[in-house]
Amino acid sequence: MTEPTHDEAHGGALGERLNWLRAAVLGANDGIVSTAGLVVGVAGATDDRSALVTAGLAGLLAGSMSMAAGEYVSVSTQRDAEKAALAVEKRELQERPEEELAELAELLERRGLSRGVAMEAAVQLTERDALKAHARVELGIDPDELTNPWHAAWASFLAFTAGALLPLLAMVLPPADRRLPVTVVSVLAALALTGWSSARLGAAAPARAVLRNVAGGALAMGVTYAAGSLLDVAGV
């Protein structure tokens, strides 16, 4: 009998890492698009470097803080729900252990084990750690690896900030006559990369994801630049 590979033995951990990587890619993508739209829109109204820096930094800070706060609240809610479900399961194990054992055996049987093997496995799992067994099989939760809202918040903050820095620097560092083309090319190239990365992480065809990402970013920059130009013409 062959030994399981590292990825097979730790499939849950691998899936968790892929989820974090996907979230980081999407956070960076949001930072690129939102900040690019903001600075390109301002560039349509003015070529003043200080105005561009101010607008870009404000967008970066507001966006990164918003992403971090949103992830913290979302993951905290998920963690609270997981802890509540574990508390209910713990109480049920204390009040009616025989019914819970039968329930665990039934769940294992539904996963393809024969009735006898399912009952034997349920007994062994219960003797080892009843709560963990029910949490994993019945609830799909690992009590030792509950989601951490601070990890999610910091990951979103850093990913968004990293993505937002690209259009900001591309807009303020080059000479005035090259700012817009440098920003557009840099942003579209970065969006192509994040689109390809998200597709690969999701095991999807990359061409459609890249095209969708690039088209969305180009549209966002085009709309905001046109709006900024109209405001400039109107003298607002």
Side-chain angles (χ1 to χ4, degrees):
M1 181 179 295
T2 58
E3 293 294 326
T5 64
H6 179 77
D7 287 347
E8 289 173 340
H10 304 282
L14 177 62
E16 184 69 17
R17 288 197 299 271
L18 289 177
N19 286 335
W20 281 111
L21 285 172
R22 189 177 296 111
V25 169
L26 294 177
N29 190 81
D30 288 343
I32 294 169
V33 174
S34 61
T35 307
L38 178 60
V39 296
V40 167
V42 174
T46 179
D47 60 358
D48 182 68
R49 190 187 299 271
S50 63
L52 292 170
V53 171
T54 301
L57 286 176
L60 184 154
L61 290 173
S64 59
M65 293 300 293
S66 176
M67 286 283 292
E71 281 296 312
Y72 181 84
V73 171
S74 175
V75 175
S76 293
T77 301
Q78 178 184 344
R79 184 183 178 90
D80 290 343
E82 291 174 343
K83 292 174 72 173
L86 289 173
V88 171
E89 196 64 38
K90 184 177 181 179
R91 185 176 67 251
E92 290 178 345
L93 284 168
Q94 294 174 343
E95 294 177 352
R96 45 178 188 271
E98 294 184 358
E99 293 181 18
E100 289 298 301
L101 176 63
E103 181 183 29
L104 181 59
E106 182 181 352
L107 290 171
L108 292 172
E109 187 177 351
R110 290 178 185 176
R111 295 190 175 190
L113 298 181
S114 65
R115 179 169 298 183
V117 173
M119 178 57 72
E120 181 180 352
V123 170
Q124 292 184 14
L125 288 172
T126 299
E127 291 175 349
R128 181 175 301 175
D129 192 327
L131 180 59
K132 181 177 290 188
H134 280 266
R136 288 180 171 176
V137 177
E138 183 179 348
L139 304 175
I141 299 174
D142 188 341
D144 297 329
E145 296 183 8
L146 296 181
T147 52
N148 189 312
W150 285 109
H151 289 172
W154 276 110
S156 297
F157 179 88
L158 294 175
F160 187 97
T161 300
L165 282 173
L166 173 67
L168 175 58
L169 295 177
M171 181 60 75
V172 301
L173 292 182
D177 59 336
R178 297 182 183 177
R179 287 173 184 166
L180 189 60
V182 168
T183 301
V184 170
V185 171
S186 300
V187 167
L188 294 183
L191 290 177
L193 178 60
T194 56
W196 179 85
S197 300
S198 62
R200 294 289 294 177
L201 289 171
R208 181 175 297 179
V210 169
L211 180 60
R212 182 171 55 239
N213 227 27
V214 170
L219 179 62
M221 289 187 290
V223 170
T224 55
Y225 183 79
S229 298
L230 290 174
L231 292 173
D232 182 42
V233 171
V236 178

